[in-house]
Amino acid sequence: MHTLHHDSSQPRSYRRWLFLLAALLPLLCTPAYAVVGDIDLTTSAIGFFAVAVFVLAYALVMAEEKIHMRKSKPVLVAAGIIWGLIGWVYVQNGMSETSEYAFRVTLLEFTELMLFLLVAMTYINAMEERRVFDALRSWMLRKGFSYRQLFWLTGGLAFVLSPIADNLTTALLMCAVITKVAEGDKRFINLACINVVVAANAGGAFSPFGDITTLMVWQAGIIQFQEFFILFLPSLVNFLIPAVIMSIFIKDQKPSSVYEDVWLKRGARRIIALFLITIATAVMCHTLLHLPPVLGMMTGLGYLQFFGYYLRRSLPRSLERKRERYSRRGDNKKLEQLGGVVPFDVFNRVARAEWDTLLFFYGVVMCVGGLGFMGYLGLLSEALYTGWNATWANIVLGVVSAVVDNIPVMFAVLTMEPDMSHGHWLLITLTAGVGGSLLSIGSAAGVAVMGQARGAYTFMGHLRWAPVIFLGYVASIIVHLWLNADSFAIFG
């Protein structure tokens, strides 16, 4: 592990390069390009100030580990400042309706993301309360898996599940297992969480349901359902290369946790089934009804609420039956456990969601939406596709997505509609999906895991392994360019 720590200048220089690329490149472009809003602010003092506020806010987010400030605070303030500046400019020009509409559209994008994440977090918390992850940890300890085996098991499951359950939900699920199995071992938790984030993002890149960006491309009708699976091998390479390197630095020892006999609470298996049904409902809402997947997720929250109601109403009868059964057996331990049973409360699970993460998402989406309305995202996208080769533009945008977030980057590209081949559209889908793995804040999965494993999986802990993850990023691009060369000749 220490072999990657001796040169601390490398992570700092890498982070500085990403900042400059994401924040300063738009400012160096000429103002001749089209902007999203009706007023060109890209070369104004207000526009420059807004970018500076955004960069400062992200600098504070990245320093969370050092300054002990929750990551939501700076981006919330930055979002208020950026949209306040936009509102002031448009009011002065008698165009307040335009800025108001733009804000509402951006807010809608966040709302869909927030509600999707909220339901996923609620189910994860419900399964944790029902001791599902305690039972899974107990099973892993009983099987005698070593840290290295656990590293590969959780990473492999993340890669396999994310195309179905989406990268965000999968990362949250695997993170919950990791923190339970290796409780207190921050070094292993950090490495395993990095591996899960990389695996979940890689797995989500070759499925329309794996990531919000793939959903956007599929909904736009640019890439057909079956064409996403062309990205399977590039995505697999993206996961395996950093995983192999990181696994070398994991001690081949077993967790120090003591095995305990875990008693699953009533309804645990049925909640797992409801979670799978919720995911299926979200998928069907999109595929059959062409409605946002969040509709299915919120319907799934209703499933959980109805089941919670059933658990509360049937609790007295269930306790009475169990008391009689345990009394006949003479099982005093189980009788003592029954005394600590409390009714299941769905809203208590909602309250335990990682609200700092949700508010951080609000701040990021609103900040980037404001900068996009000023014209910076469109300016960057058009500058790249006009002045650069589409291949290099897509590669650079994938790196930019690690800082800015892949959703607005993909939104900007789809808005620009550059004249690209199928191979290039698949390339930007791949790079936007896996590029977010370069930083912990570069993807929804990374941000959510950073909140769930606070103190163990951190921004700086992830950044130390960014060069290794970058190797996987480059290798996946090379594999796509090589294996799918024919697709670069297909347009439309």
Side-chain angles (χ1 to χ4, degrees):
M1 182 69 175
H2 293 291
T3 56
L4 294 182
H5 285 224
H6 69 281
D7 186 10
S8 60
S9 63
Q10 186 178 8
R12 286 198 296 267
S13 63
Y14 182 72
R15 180 177 57 181
R16 191 179 302 115
W17 181 83
L18 285 173
F19 260 126
L20 291 174
L21 179 63
L24 299 182
L25 183 58
L27 306 182
L28 301 177
C29 301
T30 62
Y33 301 104
V35 296
V36 175
D38 294 330
I39 302 175
D40 188 349
L41 297 175
T42 56
T43 57
S44 68
I46 288 178
F48 293 159
F49 181 70
V51 172
V53 168
F54 179 64
V55 172
L56 176 61
Y58 249 78
L60 292 175
V61 170
M62 293 177 174
E64 178 188 18
E65 185 180 358
K66 300 294 182 183
I67 62 178
H68 303 291
M69 176 190 291
R70 288 186 178 270
K71 56 185 174 290
S72 61
K73 294 179 181 179
V75 291
L76 285 174
V77 174
I81 293 174
I82 290 172
W83 279 101
L85 292 171
I86 292 173
W88 183 79
V89 170
Y90 276 74
V91 166
Q92 295 298 311
N93 287 272
M95 302 167 63
S96 58
E97 295 84 0
T98 303
S99 58
E100 179 186 5
Y101 176 76
F103 179 84
R104 291 184 184 277
V105 170
T106 307
L107 183 62
L108 178 61
E109 292 180 19
F110 160 74
T111 302
E112 290 187 12
L113 182 64
M114 185 273 288
L115 292 176
F116 191 102
L117 178 58
L118 181 62
V119 176
M121 285 182 169
T122 301
Y123 265 102
I124 294 296
N125 284 326
M127 286 188 281
E128 184 177 19
E129 190 271 342
R130 296 284 101 177
R131 305 199 72 186
V132 170
F133 303 120
D134 288 331
L136 185 56
R137 177 187 62 178
S138 175
W139 175 79
M140 288 182 173
L141 292 174
R142 190 166 63 250
K143 290 293 183 180
F145 292 127
S146 66
Y147 274 138
R148 191 167 294 170
Q149 289 172 319
L150 290 170
F151 176 87
W152 282 106
L153 181 61
T154 53
L157 285 173
F159 184 81
V160 171
L161 292 176
S162 59
I164 304 169
D166 85 74
N167 56 353
L168 175 60
T169 305
T170 301
L172 283 171
L173 181 62
M174 289 298 104
C175 175
V177 173
I178 290 167
T179 53
K180 285 291 184 181
V181 173
E183 193 169 4
D185 194 331
K186 293 185 177 181
R187 181 177 177 274
F188 172 75
I189 292 175
N190 181 65
L191 276 173
C193 284
I194 294 172
N195 187 45
V196 161
V197 170
V198 173
N201 288 336
F206 69 88
S207 166
F209 310 123
D211 195 352
I212 294 176
T213 55
T214 56
L215 273 175
M216 292 166 64
V217 176
W218 183 37
Q219 283 180 316
I222 295 172
I223 300 176
Q224 299 304 312
F225 181 87
Q226 69 278 6
E227 291 178 317
F228 283 94
F229 299 104
I230 295 175
L231 297 175
F232 172 75
L233 286 178
S235 299
L236 182 62
V237 169
N238 180 269
F239 157 56
L240 287 179
I241 288 181
V244 168
I245 296 174
M246 286 190 293
S247 66
I248 297 173
F249 295 89
I250 296 177
K251 295 179 180 179
D252 197 17
Q253 62 184 35
K254 295 182 180 180
S256 58
S257 304
V258 178
Y259 167 72
E260 59 175 326
D261 186 19
V262 175
W263 174 37
L264 274 178
K265 292 185 179 180
R266 191 170 65 102
R269 294 180 180 86
R270 282 171 284 182
I271 288 178
I272 296 174
L274 286 175
F275 186 41
L276 296 176
I277 294 172
T278 296
I279 294 171
T281 304
V283 171
M284 287 189 293
C285 278
H286 178 72
T287 55
L288 301 181
L289 305 178
H290 302 285
L291 292 171
V294 68
L295 172 63
M297 294 299 287
M298 291 302 294
T299 305
L301 182 60
Y303 302 159
L304 185 61
Q305 287 182 307
F306 269 107
F307 186 63
Y309 172 79
Y310 163 76
L311 287 179
R312 289 195 303 274
R313 292 299 299 266
S314 60
L315 180 62
R317 294 194 305 272
S318 174
L319 289 176
E320 186 61 33
R321 288 195 301 268
K322 287 180 179 179
R323 284 194 185 96
E324 292 177 1
R325 184 164 63 250
Y326 297 150
S327 296
R328 288 196 302 268
R329 294 179 185 173
D331 194 337
N332 294 325
K333 183 179 180 181
K334 289 289 182 68
L335 285 172
E336 289 178 8
Q337 289 176 334
L338 287 178
V341 172
V342 295
F344 179 80
D345 186 354
V346 172
F347 289 103
N348 187 36
R349 298 302 99 201
V350 174
R352 287 176 60 85
E354 183 50 58
W355 286 100
D356 180 52
T357 300
L358 296 175
L359 293 176
F360 172 77
F361 267 122
Y362 167 82
V364 169
V365 171
M366 299 311 294
C367 281
V368 175
L371 294 177
F373 183 69
M374 288 182 171
Y376 285 116
L377 287 181
L379 191 64
L380 172 60
S381 187
E382 188 168 344
L384 288 173
Y385 287 108
T386 301
W388 292 20
N389 176 277
T391 300
W392 285 108
N394 291 333
I395 293 172
V396 169
L397 284 175
V399 177
V400 171
S401 70
V403 180
V404 178
D405 189 77
N406 57 1
I407 296 172
V409 169
M410 182 59 77
F411 180 76
V413 175
L414 290 172
T415 302
M416 286 297 303
E417 293 186 354
D419 187 18
M420 298 192 299
S421 66
H422 258 45
H424 285 113
W425 279 110
L426 286 165
L427 178 61
I428 186 60
T429 302
L430 174 68
T431 56
V434 303
S437 301
L438 293 169
L439 295 177
S440 63
I441 58 173
S443 65
V447 173
V449 171
M450 193 162 53
Q452 192 167 5
R454 177 178 287 112
Y457 173 63
T458 62
F459 174 83
M460 291 304 298
H462 190 111
L463 184 63
R464 293 187 185 100
W465 295 93
V468 173
I469 300 170
F470 187 70
L471 288 178
Y473 177 75
V474 173
S476 65
I477 293 170
I478 294 173
V479 170
H480 173 58
L481 294 175
W482 174 48
L483 288 180
N484 306 319
D486 293 343
S487 65
F488 286 86
I490 304 173
F491 283 81

